[in-house]
Coordinates of all heavy atoms in Angstrom, one line a residue:
M91 N -19.1 -97.3 -25.9 CA -18.0 -97.8 -26.7 C -17.4 -99.0 -26.2 O -17.1 -99.9 -27.0 CB -16.9 -96.7 -26.8 CG -17.0 -95.7 -28.0 SD -15.6 -94.7 -28.2 CE -15.9 -93.4 -27.0
V92 N -17.3 -99.2 -24.9 CA -16.7 -100.4 -24.4 C -17.5 -101.6 -24.7 O -16.9 -102.7 -25.0 CB -16.6 -100.1 -22.8 CG1 -16.1 -101.4 -22.1 CG2 -15.7 -99.0 -22.5
A93 N -18.9 -101.5 -24.7 CA -19.6 -102.6 -24.9 C -19.5 -103.1 -26.4 O -19.6 -104.3 -26.6 CB -21.2 -102.3 -24.8
C94 N -19.1 -102.3 -27.3 CA -18.9 -102.7 -28.6 C -17.5 -103.3 -29.0 O -17.2 -103.7 -30.1 CB -19.2 -101.6 -29.6 SG -20.9 -101.0 -29.4
R95 N -16.5 -103.1 -28.0 CA -15.1 -103.5 -28.3 C -15.0 -105.0 -28.8 O -14.2 -105.2 -29.8 CB -14.2 -103.3 -27.1 CG -13.9 -101.8 -27.0 CD -13.0 -101.5 -25.7 NE -11.8 -102.3 -25.8 CZ -10.6 -101.7 -26.3 NH1 -10.6 -100.6 -26.8 NH2 -9.6 -102.3 -26.3
P96 N -15.7 -105.9 -28.2 CA -15.5 -107.3 -28.7 C -16.0 -107.4 -30.1 O -15.2 -108.3 -31.0 CB -16.5 -108.1 -27.8 CG -16.6 -107.3 -26.6 CD -16.5 -105.8 -27.1
W97 N -17.0 -106.8 -30.6 CA -17.4 -106.9 -32.0 C -16.5 -106.2 -32.9 O -16.2 -106.7 -34.0 CB -18.8 -106.4 -32.2 CG -19.9 -107.2 -31.6 CD1 -20.4 -108.3 -32.3 CD2 -20.4 -107.3 -30.4 NE1 -21.3 -109.0 -31.6 CE2 -21.3 -108.3 -30.3 CE3 -20.3 -106.5 -29.2 CZ2 -22.0 -108.7 -29.2 CZ3 -21.0 -106.9 -28.1 CH2 -21.8 -108.0 -28.0
L98 N -16.0 -105.1 -32.4 CA -15.0 -104.3 -33.2 C -13.7 -105.1 -33.5 O -13.3 -105.2 -34.6 CB -14.6 -102.9 -32.5 CG -13.5 -102.1 -33.2 CD1 -13.9 -101.7 -34.6 CD2 -13.2 -100.9 -32.3
F99 N -13.2 -105.7 -32.3 CA -12.0 -106.5 -32.5 C -12.3 -107.7 -33.3 O -11.3 -108.2 -34.1 CB -11.4 -106.8 -31.1 CG -10.5 -105.7 -30.6 CD1 -11.1 -104.8 -29.7 CD2 -9.2 -105.5 -31.1 CE1 -10.2 -103.7 -29.2 CE2 -8.5 -104.4 -30.7 CZ -9.0 -103.6 -29.6
A100 N -13.4 -108.4 -33.2 CA -13.8 -109.6 -34.0 C -13.8 -109.1 -35.5 O -13.3 -110.0 -36.3 CB -15.1 -110.2 -33.6
E101 N -14.4 -108.1 -35.8 CA -14.3 -107.7 -37.3 C -12.9 -107.3 -37.7 O -12.7 -107.7 -38.8 CB -15.3 -106.4 -37.4 CG -16.7 -106.6 -37.3 CD -17.5 -105.4 -37.5 OE1 -17.1 -104.5 -38.3 OE2 -18.6 -105.3 -37.0
L102 N -12.2 -106.6 -37.0 CA -10.8 -106.3 -37.3 C -10.1 -107.6 -37.5 O -9.2 -107.7 -38.5 CB -10.2 -105.3 -36.4 CG -10.7 -104.0 -36.4 CD1 -10.2 -103.2 -35.3 CD2 -10.3 -103.2 -37.7
E103 N -10.1 -108.6 -36.7 CA -9.5 -109.8 -36.8 C -9.8 -110.6 -38.0 O -9.0 -111.3 -38.7 CB -9.9 -110.7 -35.6 CG -9.0 -112.0 -35.5 CD -9.4 -112.8 -34.3 OE1 -9.5 -112.3 -33.2 OE2 -9.5 -114.0 -34.4
S104 N -11.1 -110.5 -38.5 CA -11.5 -111.2 -39.6 C -11.0 -110.6 -40.9 O -10.7 -111.2 -41.9 CB -13.1 -111.3 -39.7 OG -13.6 -110.1 -40.0
V105 N -10.7 -109.2 -40.8 CA -10.2 -108.4 -41.9 C -8.8 -108.6 -42.0 O -8.2 -108.6 -43.1 CB -10.7 -107.0 -41.9 CG1 -10.1 -106.2 -43.0 CG2 -12.3 -106.9 -42.1
A106 N -8.1 -108.7 -40.8 CA -6.7 -108.8 -40.7 C -5.9 -107.6 -41.5 O -5.1 -107.9 -42.3 CB -6.2 -110.1 -41.2
P107 N -6.2 -106.4 -41.0 CA -5.5 -105.3 -41.7 C -4.0 -105.2 -41.2 O -3.7 -105.7 -40.2 CB -6.3 -104.0 -41.2 CG -6.8 -104.5 -39.9 CD -7.0 -105.9 -39.9
E108 N -3.3 -104.5 -42.1 CA -1.8 -104.4 -41.8 C -1.8 -103.1 -40.8 O -0.9 -103.0 -40.0 CB -1.0 -104.1 -43.1 CG -0.7 -105.4 -43.8 CD 0.2 -105.1 -44.9 OE1 1.3 -104.5 -44.8 OE2 -0.2 -105.4 -46.1
V109 N -2.6 -102.2 -41.3 CA -2.6 -100.9 -40.5 C -4.0 -100.3 -40.6 O -4.8 -100.5 -41.5 CB -1.7 -99.9 -41.2 CG1 -2.1 -99.6 -42.6 CG2 -1.5 -98.6 -40.3
V110 N -4.4 -99.8 -39.6 CA -5.7 -99.0 -39.4 C -5.5 -97.6 -39.1 O -4.7 -97.1 -38.2 CB -6.5 -99.6 -38.2 CG1 -7.9 -98.8 -37.9 CG2 -6.8 -101.0 -38.5
V111 N -6.2 -96.7 -39.9 CA -6.1 -95.2 -39.6 C -7.3 -94.8 -38.8 O -8.4 -95.2 -39.2 CB -6.0 -94.5 -41.0 CG1 -6.0 -93.0 -40.8 CG2 -4.9 -94.9 -41.8
L112 N -7.0 -94.3 -37.7 CA -8.1 -93.9 -36.8 C -8.3 -92.4 -37.1 O -7.5 -91.5 -36.7 CB -7.7 -94.1 -35.4 CG -7.3 -95.5 -35.1 CD1 -6.7 -95.7 -33.6 CD2 -8.6 -96.5 -35.1
L113 N -9.5 -92.1 -37.7 CA -9.8 -90.7 -38.0 C -10.6 -90.0 -36.8 O -11.8 -90.3 -36.8 CB -10.6 -90.7 -39.2 CG -9.9 -91.1 -40.5 CD1 -10.9 -91.1 -41.7 CD2 -8.6 -90.3 -40.8
G114 N -10.0 -89.3 -36.1 CA -10.6 -88.6 -34.9 C -10.5 -89.3 -33.5 O -10.1 -90.4 -33.4
A115 N -10.8 -88.4 -32.5 CA -10.7 -88.9 -31.1 C -11.7 -89.9 -30.8 O -11.2 -90.9 -30.1 CB -10.8 -87.7 -30.2
T116 N -12.8 -90.0 -31.3 CA -13.7 -91.1 -31.0 C -13.3 -92.4 -31.5 O -13.4 -93.4 -30.7 CB -15.1 -90.8 -31.6 OG1 -15.7 -89.5 -31.1 CG2 -16.2 -91.8 -31.2
A117 N -12.8 -92.4 -32.7 CA -12.2 -93.7 -33.3 C -11.1 -94.1 -32.5 O -10.9 -95.3 -32.1 CB -11.9 -93.6 -34.7
A118 N -10.2 -93.2 -32.2 CA -8.9 -93.5 -31.4 C -9.2 -94.0 -30.1 O -8.7 -95.1 -29.6 CB -8.0 -92.2 -31.5
K119 N -10.1 -93.4 -29.4 CA -10.4 -93.9 -28.0 C -11.1 -95.2 -28.0 O -11.1 -96.0 -27.1 CB -11.4 -92.7 -27.3 CG -10.5 -91.5 -27.0 CD -11.3 -90.6 -26.2 CE -10.4 -89.3 -25.9 NZ -11.0 -88.5 -24.8
A120 N -11.9 -95.4 -29.0 CA -12.6 -96.7 -29.2 C -11.7 -97.9 -29.2 O -11.9 -98.9 -28.7 CB -13.5 -96.8 -30.4
L121 N -10.6 -97.6 -29.9 CA -9.6 -98.8 -30.1 C -8.4 -98.7 -29.1 O -8.0 -99.7 -28.7 CB -9.1 -98.6 -31.6 CG -8.5 -99.9 -32.2 CD1 -9.7 -100.9 -32.4 CD2 -7.9 -99.6 -33.5
L122 N -8.0 -97.4 -28.7 CA -6.9 -97.4 -27.7 C -7.2 -97.1 -26.3 O -6.3 -97.0 -25.5 CB -5.9 -96.3 -28.4 CG -5.4 -96.6 -29.8 CD1 -4.7 -95.4 -30.4 CD2 -4.6 -97.9 -29.8
G123 N -8.4 -96.8 -26.1 CA -8.9 -96.6 -24.7 C -9.1 -95.1 -24.4 O -8.6 -94.2 -25.2
N124 N -9.9 -94.8 -23.5 CA -10.4 -93.4 -23.1 C -9.2 -92.5 -22.7 O -9.4 -91.3 -22.8 CB -11.4 -93.4 -22.1 CG -12.8 -93.9 -22.6 OD1 -13.1 -93.7 -23.7 ND2 -13.6 -94.4 -21.7
D125 N -8.2 -93.0 -22.3 CA -6.9 -92.1 -21.9 C -6.2 -91.6 -23.1 O -5.4 -90.8 -22.9 CB -6.1 -92.9 -20.9 CG -6.7 -93.2 -19.6 OD1 -7.7 -92.4 -19.2 OD2 -6.5 -94.2 -18.9
F126 N -6.4 -92.2 -24.3 CA -5.7 -91.8 -25.4 C -5.9 -90.3 -25.8 O -7.1 -89.9 -25.8 CB -6.1 -92.7 -26.6 CG -5.2 -92.4 -27.9 CD1 -3.9 -92.7 -28.0 CD2 -5.6 -91.5 -28.8 CE1 -3.2 -92.5 -29.1 CE2 -4.9 -91.2 -30.0 CZ -3.7 -91.7 -30.0
R127 N -4.8 -89.5 -26.1 CA -5.1 -88.1 -26.5 C -4.5 -87.9 -27.9 O -3.3 -88.1 -28.1 CB -4.3 -87.2 -25.5 CG -4.9 -87.3 -24.0 CD -6.3 -86.6 -24.0 NE -6.9 -86.7 -22.7 CZ -7.8 -87.6 -22.5 NH1 -8.3 -88.3 -23.4 NH2 -8.3 -87.6 -21.2
I128 N -5.3 -87.7 -28.8 CA -4.9 -87.5 -30.2 C -3.9 -86.4 -30.4 O -3.0 -86.5 -31.3 CB -6.1 -87.5 -31.1 CG1 -5.7 -87.9 -32.5 CG2 -6.7 -86.0 -31.2 CD1 -6.9 -88.3 -33.3
T129 N -4.0 -85.3 -29.5 CA -3.2 -84.2 -29.8 C -1.8 -84.6 -29.2 O -0.8 -83.9 -29.7 CB -3.7 -83.0 -28.8 OG1 -3.8 -83.5 -27.5 CG2 -4.9 -82.5 -29.4
E130 N -1.6 -85.6 -28.4 CA -0.2 -86.0 -28.0 C 0.4 -87.1 -28.9 O 1.7 -87.1 -28.9 CB -0.4 -86.6 -26.5 CG -0.8 -85.6 -25.5 CD -1.0 -86.2 -24.2 OE1 -0.5 -87.2 -24.0 OE2 -1.6 -85.5 -23.3
H131 N -0.5 -87.8 -29.6 CA 0.1 -89.0 -30.3 C -0.3 -89.0 -31.9 O -0.1 -90.0 -32.4 CB -0.4 -90.2 -29.7 CG 0.1 -90.4 -28.2 ND1 1.3 -90.7 -28.0 CD2 -0.8 -90.2 -27.1 CE1 1.5 -90.7 -26.6 NE2 0.3 -90.4 -26.0
R132 N -0.8 -87.9 -32.3 CA -1.3 -87.9 -33.8 C -0.1 -88.2 -34.6 O 1.1 -87.7 -34.5 CB -1.9 -86.7 -34.2 CG -1.0 -85.4 -34.0 CD -1.5 -84.2 -35.0 NE -1.2 -84.5 -36.4 CZ 0.0 -84.4 -36.9 NH1 1.0 -83.9 -36.2 NH2 0.2 -84.7 -38.2
G133 N -0.3 -89.1 -35.6 CA 0.8 -89.4 -36.6 C 1.7 -90.4 -36.1 O 2.6 -90.8 -36.9
E134 N 1.7 -90.9 -34.9 CA 2.6 -91.8 -34.4 C 2.2 -93.3 -34.8 O 1.0 -93.5 -35.0 CB 2.7 -91.8 -32.8 CG 3.4 -90.6 -32.2 CD 3.5 -90.7 -30.8 OE1 3.3 -91.7 -30.2 OE2 3.6 -89.6 -30.2
V135 N 3.1 -94.2 -35.0 CA 2.7 -95.5 -35.3 C 2.6 -96.3 -34.0 O 3.7 -96.3 -33.2 CB 3.9 -96.2 -36.2 CG1 3.5 -97.6 -36.4 CG2 4.0 -95.5 -37.5
L136 N 1.4 -96.7 -33.7 CA 1.2 -97.5 -32.4 C 0.7 -98.9 -32.8 O 0.3 -99.2 -33.8 CB 0.2 -96.7 -31.6 CG 0.5 -95.2 -31.4 CD1 -0.7 -94.4 -30.9 CD2 1.7 -95.1 -30.4
R137 N 0.7 -99.7 -31.7 CA 0.2 -101.0 -31.9 C -1.1 -101.0 -31.0 O -1.2 -100.6 -29.9 CB 1.1 -102.1 -31.4 CG 0.5 -103.5 -31.5 CD 1.5 -104.6 -32.0 NE 2.5 -104.3 -33.0 CZ 2.3 -104.6 -34.3 NH1 1.3 -105.1 -34.6 NH2 3.4 -104.3 -35.0
A138 N -2.1 -101.5 -31.5 CA -3.5 -101.6 -30.9 C -3.3 -102.6 -29.8 O -2.9 -103.7 -30.1 CB -4.6 -101.9 -31.8
P139 N -3.8 -102.4 -28.6 CA -3.8 -103.4 -27.6 C -4.8 -104.6 -28.0 O -5.8 -104.3 -28.7 CB -4.3 -102.7 -26.3 CG -4.9 -101.5 -26.8 CD -4.4 -101.1 -28.2
E140 N -4.5 -105.7 -27.6 CA -5.4 -106.9 -28.0 C -5.4 -107.1 -29.5 O -6.3 -107.9 -29.9 CB -6.9 -106.7 -27.4 CG -7.0 -106.2 -26.0 CD -8.5 -105.8 -25.8 OE1 -9.3 -106.3 -26.4 OE2 -8.5 -104.8 -25.0
A141 N -4.5 -106.6 -30.2 CA -4.6 -106.8 -31.7 C -3.1 -106.9 -32.2 O -2.3 -106.4 -31.7 CB -5.4 -105.8 -32.4
G142 N -3.1 -107.5 -33.4 CA -1.7 -107.6 -34.0 C -1.5 -106.6 -35.2 O -0.7 -106.8 -36.0
F143 N -2.2 -105.5 -35.2 CA -2.0 -104.6 -36.3 C -1.5 -103.2 -35.8 O -1.6 -103.0 -34.7 CB -3.3 -104.4 -37.1 CG -4.4 -104.0 -36.3 CD1 -4.7 -102.8 -35.9 CD2 -5.4 -105.1 -35.9 CE1 -5.8 -102.4 -35.2 CE2 -6.4 -104.8 -35.2 CZ -6.7 -103.5 -34.8
Q144 N -1.0 -102.5 -36.6 CA -0.5 -101.2 -36.3 C -1.6 -100.1 -36.6 O -2.4 -100.3 -37.4 CB 0.7 -100.8 -37.1 CG 1.9 -101.7 -37.0 CD 3.0 -101.5 -37.9 OE1 4.0 -100.8 -37.5 NE2 2.8 -101.9 -39.1
V145 N -1.7 -99.0 -35.8 CA -2.6 -97.9 -36.0 C -1.8 -96.6 -36.1 O -0.8 -96.4 -35.6 CB -3.6 -97.9 -34.8 CG1 -4.4 -99.1 -34.8 CG2 -3.0 -97.7 -33.5
V146 N -2.4 -95.7 -36.9 CA -2.1 -94.4 -36.9 C -3.2 -93.5 -36.7 O -4.2 -93.7 -37.3 CB -1.5 -94.0 -38.3 CG1 -1.1 -92.5 -38.3 CG2 -0.1 -94.8 -38.5
A147 N -3.2 -92.7 -35.7 CA -4.3 -91.9 -35.3 C -4.1 -90.3 -35.7 O -2.9 -89.9 -35.7 CB -4.6 -91.8 -33.8
T148 N -5.1 -89.8 -36.3 CA -5.0 -88.4 -36.9 C -6.3 -87.7 -36.5 O -7.3 -88.4 -36.5 CB -4.6 -88.5 -38.3 OG1 -4.4 -87.1 -38.7 CG2 -5.8 -89.0 -39.1
P149 N -6.3 -86.5 -36.4 CA -7.6 -85.8 -36.4 C -8.5 -86.0 -37.5 O -8.1 -86.3 -38.6 CB -7.2 -84.3 -36.2 CG -5.8 -84.3 -35.8 CD -5.2 -85.5 -36.3
H150 N -9.8 -86.0 -37.2 CA -10.8 -86.3 -38.2 C -10.7 -85.2 -39.4 O -10.5 -84.0 -39.0 CB -12.2 -86.3 -37.6 CG -13.2 -86.8 -38.6 ND1 -13.8 -86.2 -39.6 CD2 -13.8 -88.1 -38.7 CE1 -14.6 -87.0 -40.3 NE2 -14.7 -88.2 -39.7
P151 N -10.8 -85.6 -40.7 CA -10.7 -84.5 -41.6 C -11.6 -83.4 -41.5 O -11.3 -82.3 -41.9 CB -11.0 -85.3 -43.0 CG -10.6 -86.8 -42.6 CD -10.9 -86.9 -41.1
S152 N -12.7 -83.6 -41.0 CA -13.8 -82.6 -40.8 C -13.3 -81.5 -39.8 O -13.6 -80.3 -40.0 CB -15.2 -83.0 -40.3 OG -15.1 -83.6 -39.0
S153 N -12.4 -81.9 -39.0 CA -11.9 -80.9 -38.0 C -10.9 -79.8 -38.7 O -10.8 -78.7 -38.2 CB -11.0 -81.6 -36.8 OG -9.9 -82.1 -37.3
V154 N -10.4 -80.2 -39.8 CA -9.6 -79.3 -40.6 C -10.5 -78.3 -41.2 O -10.1 -77.1 -41.2 CB -8.8 -80.1 -41.8 CG1 -8.2 -79.1 -42.7 CG2 -7.9 -81.1 -41.3
L155 N -11.7 -78.6 -41.6 CA -12.6 -77.7 -42.2 C -13.3 -76.8 -41.1 O -13.6 -75.6 -41.3 CB -13.7 -78.3 -43.0 CG -13.3 -79.2 -44.2 CD1 -14.4 -80.0 -44.7 CD2 -12.6 -78.4 -45.2
R156 N -13.5 -77.3 -39.9 CA -14.1 -76.6 -38.8 C -13.1 -75.8 -38.0 O -13.5 -74.8 -37.4 CB -14.8 -77.6 -37.8 CG -16.0 -78.3 -38.3 CD -16.7 -79.0 -37.2 NE -15.7 -79.6 -36.2 CZ -15.4 -80.9 -36.2 NH1 -15.8 -81.6 -37.2 NH2 -14.6 -81.4 -35.3
G157 N -11.9 -76.0 -38.2 CA -10.8 -75.3 -37.4 C -10.6 -73.9 -37.9 O -11.3 -73.5 -38.8
P158 N -9.8 -73.0 -37.2 CA -9.5 -71.7 -37.6 C -9.0 -71.6 -39.0 O -8.1 -72.4 -39.3 CB -8.5 -71.2 -36.6 CG -8.5 -72.2 -35.5 CD -9.0 -73.4 -36.0
A159 N -9.5 -70.6 -39.7 CA -9.1 -70.4 -41.2 C -7.6 -70.3 -41.3 O -6.9 -70.8 -42.3 CB -9.7 -69.2 -41.7
D160 N -6.9 -69.6 -40.2 CA -5.5 -69.4 -40.4 C -4.6 -70.6 -40.2 O -3.4 -70.6 -40.5 CB -5.1 -68.1 -39.5 CG -5.4 -68.4 -38.0 OD1 -6.2 -69.2 -37.7 OD2 -4.6 -67.9 -37.1
R161 N -5.3 -71.7 -39.6 CA -4.6 -72.8 -39.4 C -5.0 -74.0 -40.3 O -4.4 -75.1 -40.3 CB -4.8 -73.4 -37.9 CG -4.3 -72.3 -37.0 CD -4.0 -72.9 -35.6 NE -3.0 -74.1 -35.7 CZ -3.3 -75.3 -35.3 NH1 -4.4 -75.6 -34.8 NH2 -2.5 -76.2 -35.4
R162 N -5.9 -73.7 -41.2 CA -6.4 -74.8 -42.0 C -5.3 -75.4 -42.9 O -5.3 -76.7 -43.1 CB -7.5 -74.2 -42.9 CG -8.7 -75.1 -42.9 CD -9.9 -74.4 -43.6 NE -10.7 -74.0 -42.5 CZ -11.6 -72.9 -42.7 NH1 -11.6 -72.2 -43.8 NH2 -12.3 -72.6 -41.6
E163 N -4.5 -74.6 -43.5 CA -3.5 -75.2 -44.5 C -2.4 -76.1 -43.7 O -2.2 -77.1 -44.2 CB -2.7 -74.0 -45.1 CG -1.8 -74.4 -46.3 CD -1.3 -73.2 -47.1 OE1 -2.1 -72.2 -47.3 OE2 -0.2 -73.3 -47.4
S164 N -2.1 -75.6 -42.5 CA -1.2 -76.5 -41.7 C -1.8 -77.7 -41.2 O -1.2 -78.9 -41.2 CB -0.5 -75.7 -40.6 OG -1.3 -75.4 -39.6
A165 N -3.1 -77.6 -40.9 CA -3.7 -78.7 -40.3 C -4.0 -79.8 -41.5 O -3.9 -81.1 -41.2 CB -5.1 -78.4 -39.8
F166 N -4.2 -79.3 -42.7 CA -4.4 -80.2 -43.8 C -3.0 -80.9 -44.1 O -3.0 -82.0 -44.4 CB -4.9 -79.4 -45.1 CG -5.0 -80.3 -46.2 CD1 -6.1 -81.2 -46.4 CD2 -4.2 -80.2 -47.3 CE1 -6.2 -82.0 -47.5 CE2 -4.3 -81.0 -48.4 CZ -5.2 -81.8 -48.6
A167 N -2.0 -80.1 -44.1 CA -0.7 -80.7 -44.3 C -0.3 -81.8 -43.3 O 0.2 -82.8 -43.6 CB 0.4 -79.6 -44.3
D168 N -0.7 -81.6 -42.1 CA -0.5 -82.5 -40.9 C -1.3 -83.7 -41.2 O -0.8 -85.0 -41.1 CB -0.9 -82.0 -39.6 CG 0.1 -80.9 -39.1 OD1 1.2 -80.8 -39.6 OD2 -0.3 -80.2 -38.1
L169 N -2.6 -83.6 -41.7 CA -3.4 -84.8 -42.0 C -2.8 -85.6 -43.2 O -2.7 -86.8 -43.1 CB -4.8 -84.3 -42.4 CG -5.7 -85.4 -42.9 CD1 -6.1 -86.4 -41.8 CD2 -7.0 -84.7 -43.5
V170 N -2.4 -84.9 -44.2 CA -1.7 -85.6 -45.3 C -0.5 -86.4 -44.8 O -0.2 -87.6 -45.3 CB -1.5 -84.7 -46.4 CG1 -0.6 -85.2 -47.6 CG2 -2.8 -84.1 -47.1
A171 N 0.3 -85.8 -43.9 CA 1.5 -86.4 -43.5 C 1.2 -87.6 -42.8 O 1.9 -88.6 -42.9 CB 2.4 -85.5 -42.7
D172 N 0.1 -87.6 -41.9 CA -0.3 -88.7 -41.0 C -0.8 -89.9 -42.0 O -0.4 -91.1 -41.8 CB -1.5 -88.3 -40.2 CG -1.0 -87.4 -39.0 OD1 0.2 -87.2 -38.8 OD2 -1.9 -86.8 -38.4
L173 N -1.5 -89.5 -43.0 CA -1.9 -90.5 -44.0 C -0.8 -91.2 -44.8 O -0.7 -92.2 -45.1 CB -3.0 -90.0 -44.9 CG -4.3 -89.5 -44.3 CD1 -5.1 -88.9 -45.4 CD2 -4.9 -90.8 -43.6
G174 N 0.2 -90.3 -45.0 CA 1.5 -90.8 -45.6 C 2.1 -91.8 -44.8 O 2.8 -92.7 -45.2
T175 N 2.3 -91.5 -43.4 CA 2.8 -92.4 -42.5 C 2.1 -93.7 -42.6 O 2.8 -94.8 -42.6 CB 2.8 -91.8 -41.1 OG1 3.5 -90.6 -41.1 CG2 3.3 -92.8 -40.1
A176 N 0.8 -93.8 -42.5 CA 0.0 -95.0 -42.6 C 0.3 -95.7 -43.9 O 0.5 -97.0 -43.9 CB -1.4 -94.7 -42.5
A177 N 0.4 -95.1 -45.0 CA 0.6 -95.6 -46.3 C 1.9 -96.3 -46.4 O 2.2 -97.4 -47.0 CB 0.4 -94.7 -47.4
G178 N 2.9 -95.6 -45.8 CA 4.4 -96.1 -45.7 C 4.5 -97.5 -45.0 O 5.4 -98.2 -45.1
L179 N 3.5 -97.8 -44.2 CA 3.5 -99.0 -43.4 C 2.9 -100.2 -44.2 O 3.2 -101.4 -43.8 CB 2.6 -99.0 -42.1 CG 3.1 -97.9 -41.1 CD1 1.9 -97.7 -40.0 CD2 4.4 -98.3 -40.5
L180 N 2.3 -100.0 -45.4 CA 1.7 -101.1 -46.1 C 2.8 -101.8 -46.9 O 3.7 -101.2 -47.3 CB 0.7 -100.5 -47.1 CG -0.6 -100.0 -46.5 CD1 -1.5 -99.3 -47.5 CD2 -1.3 -100.9 -45.7
S181 N 2.7 -103.1 -46.9 CA 3.5 -104.0 -47.7 C 3.6 -103.5 -49.2 O 2.6 -103.1 -49.7 CB 3.3 -105.4 -47.6 OG 2.0 -105.8 -48.2
K182 N 4.6 -103.7 -49.9 CA 4.8 -103.3 -51.4 C 3.8 -104.1 -52.1 O 3.3 -103.6 -53.2 CB 6.1 -103.6 -51.8 CG 7.1 -102.6 -51.1 CD 8.5 -102.9 -51.6 CE 9.4 -102.0 -50.6 NZ 10.5 -101.5 -51.0
G183 N 3.3 -105.3 -51.7 CA 2.3 -105.9 -52.5 C 1.0 -105.3 -52.6 O 0.2 -105.7 -53.5
L184 N 0.6 -104.4 -51.7 CA -0.7 -103.8 -51.7 C -0.6 -102.5 -52.5 O -1.7 -101.8 -52.6 CB -1.1 -103.5 -50.2 CG -1.4 -104.8 -49.4 CD1 -1.7 -104.4 -48.0 CD2 -2.5 -105.5 -50.1
R185 N 0.5 -101.9 -52.8 CA 0.5 -100.6 -53.5 C 0.3 -100.8 -55.0 O 0.5 -101.6 -55.6 CB 1.8 -100.0 -53.3 CG 2.0 -99.5 -51.8 CD 3.2 -98.7 -51.6 NE 3.5 -98.7 -50.1 CZ 4.5 -98.2 -49.7 NH1 5.5 -97.8 -50.5 NH2 4.7 -98.2 -48.4

């Protein structure tokens, strides 16, 4: 992952997103570093190091399907809430 960071940031710089949603721990660690823990920071609005955009990290949607059946509904609600947080960061011109 570390070797690809320059290319990842170059691509993000050329796109210039207002917000990036990081779906899953792999995506979050690629952008925020190996010490990032999605269980501790899911749904929080963070600023990516070395970049000028905001990020919202959330568990990958497939984890909702793979998780325990009795927690699926609440996990799905959490995912939707995190995506709502990210959507709320977008400027009104993009909606």
Side-chain angles (χ1 to χ4, degrees):
M91 271 190 272
V92 174
C94 297
R95 282 177 66 88
W97 284 274
L98 174 61
F99 278 100
E101 287 183 29
L102 289 167
E103 186 178 315
S104 70
V105 174
E108 286 185 56
V109 64
V110 172
V111 178
L112 303 170
L113 298 174
T116 302
K119 288 180 180 199
L121 209 61
L122 301 173
N124 284 333
D125 294 333
F126 182 81
R127 296 291 175 255
I128 204 158
T129 53
E130 295 174 18
H131 301 287
R132 62 155 285 281
E134 291 180 20
V135 179
L136 305 167
R137 182 142 319 260
E140 309 168 36
F143 52 84
Q144 300 174 99
V145 298
V146 175
T148 190
H150 194 280
S152 67
S153 70
V154 173
L155 299 174
R156 290 190 322 264
D160 61 332
R161 296 206 53 240
R162 226 170 262 151
E163 195 170 316
S164 66
F166 180 72
D168 290 344
L169 173 66
V170 170
D172 295 345
L173 295 175
T175 297
L179 297 172
L180 297 173
S181 68
K182 293 180 190 214
L184 294 176
R185 289 189 195 166

